[in-house]
Amino acid sequence: MTTVLVTGSDGFIGGHVVAALEAQGHRVTGLDLRSGDDVRDAERLDGLLPGVGAVVHQAAKVGLGVDVADLPDYASVNVYGTAVLLAAMARHGVRRLVLASSMVVYGEGAYDCARHGRVRPGPRSADDLARGSFEPRCPRCGDQLVLAEIDEDAPVDPRNAYASTKLAQEHLAANWARETGGTAVALRYHNVYGPGMPRDTPYSGVAAIFRSALEAGRAPRVFEDGGQTRDFVHVRDVADANVAALGGGTPGTLTAYNVASGVPHTVGDLAEALAAERGGPAPVVTGEYRLGDVRHIVASPRRAAADLGFQARIGFTEGMKEFATAPLA
């Protein structure tokens, strides 16, 4: 078995990754800002990396960002922190990296136009959103589109601070792999939920925001018309994907994988499922919107299944039943 350094080991996903690695017999060393360790501290990394066979890099500033003032923090933690880590790995001859990336690198999802085939719409305009026109249109003819699965070969189009820095992490990891002969696997998480998820903050995922509202006796407030499509994947499945990724990839390159359930649901479905499990209040569809949010993104999980042998095990109904009353951080 391998000695694995897990950055962000005390975080929501990181804690589950540590448990999954240990359950498979791996020795785990943790590094987390909550415990006083910073991935940007090269001296601390030099003390931790000797004897480590692989790094699972979960540490990051998460969320989409509230405004432009967030950019320096995102760049410092996610980009500079990853660069410091990769340089330290190179110094100590660590040649395997599993990187927590995100589906947000894609921007809007994939769509098919009856006249123009596969297209990628640009950001939706404030005018369209304000009048309740939420569905993207064909960028060439303006016709309605049909939602399609997005795979790892789709063009990337990061649209916020977090997305841009996650893509930068992938680029840095690919550079590290080429120069060292190391193996880098980027796991593009879709909408992760589950026990230990952070509570209602400006950076929380929608699942935690809805769950926190229900816990306080408030109705979940569903933006737009609730028809936004996402792939909600349980955190224990995400942890299993990280374990599987230790055996994947190709030396000298970075390989990206969607980590998703393969069964999409709408944001409205999510709110209704959680409200039903907790006995209400029922969700309220507000018509509100956030500029920069994407309308739909549905993942193809096939590459991870074929290459890593990873398939999500926890279905939406089962997962929401647990999450409705699970402890939050």
Side-chain angles (χ1 to χ4, degrees):
M1 293 298 172
T2 304
T3 298
V4 182
L5 173 65
V6 178
T7 71
S9 55
D10 295 341
F12 166 46
I13 298 175
H16 286 275
V17 170
V18 168
L21 287 167
E22 290 179 339
Q24 293 298 313
H26 295 288
R27 297 178 295 276
V28 177
T29 298
L31 181 149
D32 196 285
L33 193 60
R34 297 168 184 82
S35 304
D37 291 327
D38 191 330
V39 74
R40 294 167 290 187
D41 185 342
E43 185 176 346
R44 179 60 175 150
L45 290 169
D46 285 337
L48 292 173
L49 284 170
V52 166
V55 172
V56 176
H57 185 29
Q58 304 290 321
K61 183 175 177 65
V62 299
L64 303 183
V66 175
D67 56 40
V68 174
D70 284 338
L71 286 171
D73 281 345
Y74 276 94
S76 177
V77 176
N78 296 355
V79 182
Y80 178 67
T82 299
V84 172
L85 173 65
L86 293 170
M89 290 172 64
R91 285 196 301 275
H92 292 279
V94 182
R95 294 292 182 263
R96 179 165 289 277
L97 172 70
V98 178
L99 170 67
S101 188
S102 173
M103 58 92 173
V104 296
V105 302
Y106 296 121
E108 189 65 65
Y111 298 83
D112 290 327
C113 172
R115 292 179 8 179
H116 296 109
R118 182 61 47 90
V119 295
R120 296 292 301 281
R124 296 174 294 168
S125 73
D127 288 344
D128 283 345
L129 293 168
R131 65 171 178 264
S133 179
F134 300 123
E135 293 295 335
R137 297 279 181 162
C138 176
R140 297 178 63 185
C141 67
D143 282 356
Q144 292 184 340
L145 299 171
V146 176
L147 180 62
E149 285 186 337
I150 198 161
D151 65 22
E152 295 85 351
D153 294 325
V156 291
D157 183 18
R159 297 184 179 182
N160 54 60
Y162 177 63
S164 296
T165 59
K166 295 312 282 186
L167 184 58
Q169 286 183 322
E170 290 194 16
H171 289 323
L172 289 171
N175 180 247
W176 165 86
R178 285 192 300 271
E179 293 195 16
T180 66
T183 302
V185 173
L187 300 179
R188 291 175 177 170
Y189 301 158
H190 285 251
N191 286 67
V192 185
Y193 73 95
M197 195 173 187
R199 290 183 177 274
D200 185 5
T201 76
Y203 303 96
S204 292
V206 67
I209 292 171
F210 289 168
R211 180 38 228 288
S212 295
L214 288 162
E215 193 172 53
R218 303 191 306 270
R221 294 177 62 82
V222 180
F223 280 18
E224 301 187 16
D225 59 2
Q228 311 94 301
T229 310
R230 299 290 189 270
D231 190 308
F232 298 99
V233 58
H234 196 281
V235 66
R236 288 197 295 273
D237 284 326
V238 171
D240 288 345
N242 278 270
V243 176
L246 286 176
T250 302
T253 66
L254 177 139
T255 309
Y257 295 96
N258 287 327
V259 176
S261 72
V263 183
H265 290 82
T266 68
V267 172
D269 291 339
L270 170 71
E272 290 171 4
L274 289 173
E277 289 295 339
R278 291 191 65 94
V284 174
V285 177
T286 68
E288 296 172 86
Y289 60 88
R290 294 192 308 178
L291 282 175
D293 277 358
V294 301
R295 177 63 175 176
H296 303 296
I297 183 162
V298 174
S300 168
R302 285 187 287 275
R303 180 184 288 180
D307 291 3
L308 306 179
F310 167 74
Q311 290 182 292
R313 298 176 291 106
I314 300 172
F316 183 81
T317 300
E318 174 189 356
M320 290 300 151
K321 185 176 182 65
E322 176 197 31
F323 182 61
T325 56
L328 301 179

